[in-house]
Amino acid sequence: MDLQIKKGINGFEPMKFKARLVAKGYTQNEGIYFKEVFSPVVRHASIRVILAITAVQDMELDQLDVKTAFLHGRLEEEILMSQPEGYEFPGKEDNTIKDGLYIYLLLYIDDMLVACKDREEIDKLKVLLNSEFEMKDLGYAKKILGMEIRRNRSKGIMFLSQEKYLRKVLETFDMSKAKPLQLPLASHFRLSNLQCPQTEAQKQGMASVPYANAVGCLMYVMVLTRPDIAHVVSVVSRYMAQPGEDHWKAVKWILRRRSLTGYLFMLNGCAVNWKATLQSVVALSTTEAEYTAATEAVKEALWLKGLVTELGLNQKNEVSRGAVKMVKIHTDENLADAFTKVIPVAKFRAYLDLAGLCSQ
């Protein structure tokens, strides 16, 4: 049994005890079903897409918590089921839309966000959920998966922040008083395997350095809210197995910010999905590398198209329809460079504006 203290969202709410208990864990057999525990989770990109739609369409956004988390395993068998009773509409039996009104429900194990234009429909859904599960109504959404949600409904703006988490990270690695920097990584860093420890003394010297922990914290922030550090995090994460002193200096450089193949997808002016990583194959030319990156980006675009179509938005992203075009962009205007290389301050600032990233 694991017992922890859970703090309130804003840091001032009463603290609560949080316990996790595995019933009859001693009956589980290693190699059979010892690690087979599954929970329903939503993709981070899906959360940002819903929040972008919520902000632009001025929808209501509430948060719920399932007191007893319900777990569902993946079914291997083919399951046949009838349409729920009371849901039939003549001629619209296969439709999931009621008069064009959508209710979006995002579930991450036991954390839940509900968005809808109609407050009354959200209240009806809460009553329905409470009839099936023991729920806790947290009211207007303030935080999800460590992301703090701040909203200005009059301007149609929503901010996602991990400020409290970042402050804690800086304190953990004794960097809270370090001088802030403008770029995630300076151009003088030339990281490679040659900088890995070569002698036993160097290995022992780096053994006490919390390199993996620091990179893990940066990776968590990058995945949720910070596409601006995607490239540099992908660089420093390559040396997790045997980091050297120069690699550690680079990690500390990344931490020294006031708010701490690559692609970036925007929806209604909001950055909702991004990636920066090494390609899985070795390209024989720059052109081949660019086609590989374009292929990955289009695949993700098709997934996003399917998602937003299910959410009631009509988006087209195929090359054959002319929605995706391959055009040359001058290097001075190619803001995608922020995901593949270290760029000058002026260009990096332009990228921040494009991605909707700002300091609070």
Side-chain angles (χ1 to χ4, degrees):
M1 182 172 181
D2 179 27
L3 183 63
Q4 298 179 0
I5 296 179
K6 184 176 182 180
K7 297 182 180 179
I9 293 177
N10 57 18
F12 298 100
E13 297 177 4
M15 293 186 296
K16 304 175 184 178
F17 286 102
K18 178 176 65 175
R20 292 186 178 93
L21 179 64
V22 178
K24 293 186 177 181
Y26 59 86
T27 64
Q28 296 177 310
N29 297 321
E30 178 70 46
I32 301 178
Y33 50 84
F34 186 76
K35 297 180 180 179
E36 294 186 5
V37 179
F38 304 96
S39 303
V41 295
V42 63
R43 284 187 63 175
H44 298 129
S46 300
I47 295 176
R48 291 187 290 262
V49 167
I50 292 293
L51 293 179
I53 295 174
T54 299
V56 173
Q57 297 188 5
D58 192 28
M59 304 174 73
E60 303 291 334
L61 182 66
D62 280 19
Q63 189 168 11
L64 298 146
D65 181 79
V66 185
K67 291 186 178 181
T68 304
F70 47 97
L71 307 177
H72 299 277
R74 183 180 296 275
L75 297 175
E76 301 295 338
E77 306 84 359
E78 182 178 357
I79 302 297
L80 303 178
M81 60 183 295
S82 302
Q83 188 164 305
E85 184 179 351
Y87 197 76
E88 298 86 356
F89 294 89
K92 298 184 178 181
E93 288 80 3
D94 296 328
N95 286 5
T96 57
I97 305 174
K98 300 170 69 173
D99 299 326
L101 181 66
Y102 282 79
I103 300 179
Y104 302 133
L105 189 150
L106 298 172
L107 180 64
Y108 200 97
I109 305 179
D110 59 349
D111 289 327
M112 187 182 301
L113 288 181
V114 180
C116 184
K117 288 186 176 181
D118 193 330
R119 163 58 57 184
E120 185 177 344
E121 292 298 323
I122 290 183
D123 293 338
K124 289 180 181 179
L125 179 60
K126 289 180 179 179
V127 173
L128 176 61
L129 291 173
N130 271 297
S131 67
E132 298 291 336
F133 311 102
E134 188 177 0
M135 310 288 296
K136 182 178 180 181
D137 190 348
L138 301 178
Y140 293 112
K142 300 176 183 177
K143 186 177 182 180
I144 182 72
L145 300 183
M147 297 185 291
E148 301 155 31
I149 302 173
R150 302 173 187 172
R151 190 175 185 185
N152 187 327
R153 295 191 67 171
S154 62
K155 296 183 178 179
I157 298 175
M158 185 179 293
F159 296 97
L160 296 180
S161 171
Q162 289 178 275
E163 180 181 354
K164 293 183 178 63
Y165 176 77
L166 282 169
R167 291 185 183 279
K168 183 179 179 180
V169 169
L170 292 175
E171 291 174 0
T172 299
F173 298 105
D174 197 24
M175 298 289 294
S176 58
K177 296 182 180 179
K179 183 179 178 181
L181 299 167
Q182 294 180 310
L183 287 175
L185 199 63
S187 58
H188 68 267
F189 283 101
R190 305 291 182 183
L191 303 183
S192 70
N193 290 326
L194 297 177
Q195 297 157 327
C196 294
Q198 303 297 321
T199 66
E200 193 61 33
Q202 290 175 335
K203 292 179 181 179
Q204 292 180 359
M206 290 299 299
S208 60
V209 173
Y211 188 89
N213 290 341
V215 174
C217 292
L218 289 172
M219 194 173 296
Y220 176 65
V221 174
M222 179 273 292
V223 168
L224 288 179
T225 61
R226 300 302 299 272
D228 56 322
I229 63 172
H231 167 61
V232 293
V233 170
S234 71
V235 172
V236 296
S237 63
R238 301 169 195 170
Y239 309 101
M240 297 277 277
Q242 200 174 13
E245 186 176 348
D246 288 337
H247 303 136
W248 178 234
K249 288 180 180 178
V251 170
K252 291 194 290 185
W253 179 285
I254 301 172
L255 290 170
R256 288 175 57 190
R257 302 195 62 222
R258 190 174 301 278
S259 55
L260 192 67
T261 297
Y263 52 71
L264 173 69
F265 286 93
M266 308 289 292
L267 179 64
N268 296 329
C270 307
V272 296
N273 199 9
W274 54 81
K275 186 176 183 180
T277 184
L278 287 174
Q279 294 185 355
S280 57
V281 296
V282 178
L284 301 180
S285 66
T286 302
T287 301
E288 183 179 344
E290 291 175 346
Y291 271 108
T292 300
T295 300
E296 291 299 316
V298 171
K299 285 164 56 179
E300 195 68 14
L302 292 174
W303 176 83
L304 283 171
K305 176 198 171 184
L307 173 63
V308 297
T309 299
E310 289 186 15
L311 300 178
L313 299 181
N314 186 17
Q315 299 283 317
K316 297 180 179 179
N317 281 316
E318 294 93 339
V319 175
S320 59
R321 298 188 182 183
V324 177
K325 296 182 179 180
M326 304 294 289
V327 297
K328 177 177 175 57
I329 301 177
H330 193 274
T331 184
D332 293 336
E333 300 175 353
N334 188 4
L335 298 181
D337 284 348
F339 286 89
T340 58
K341 65 185 73 171
V342 177
I343 58 177
V345 175
K347 191 170 184 178
F348 186 71
R349 287 176 177 170
Y351 157 73
L352 294 180
D353 292 338
L354 171 69
L357 297 171
C358 62
S359 58
Q360 295 287 314

